[in-house]
Amino acid sequence: LRAYLNSHHQCIIATKGLEPETGNFLTDVVASNIDFAMPVAVLSGPGFAAEVADNQPSAVALTCLSDDLAQESVCLLYTSPS
């Protein structure tokens, strides 16, 4: 990750589970692989790919410590009914 990221980046983790080898949370894995502060958010279900592909309503949860990242993420992910 270090080669591709810098302190101007933000990270949204959109995968389930723990890091298989260590059992660490993915937020900890990201933090341990960079040597600078970077806002990190975690996106979780229950969004279902079939619903999204069929333009059906779907909801997800997003959590982070950065209000700015939270607001930007909502703007990127939100779609209104057509």
Side-chain angles (χ1 to χ4, degrees):
L1 292 172
R2 259 183 231 114
Y4 302 102
L5 301 173
N6 63 51
S7 61
H8 299 290
H9 288 105
Q10 300 175 332
C11 177
I12 299 174
I13 297 172
T15 186
K16 293 181 182 180
L18 304 172
E19 201 271 336
E21 293 174 15
T22 64
N24 289 339
F25 290 110
L26 298 178
T27 51
D28 296 329
V29 173
V30 170
S32 69
N33 281 283
I34 57 175
D35 54 1
F36 50 86
M38 180 175 62
V40 177
V42 177
L43 180 72
S44 71
F48 299 102
E51 291 173 348
V52 173
D54 196 31
N55 286 326
Q56 297 298 313
S58 184
V60 294
L62 180 100
T63 187
C64 64
L65 298 175
S66 165
D67 290 339
D68 290 338
L69 177 55
Q71 201 56 33
E72 290 176 34
S73 300
V74 168
C75 290
L76 288 170
L77 298 170
Y78 178 80
T79 58
S80 61
S82 24

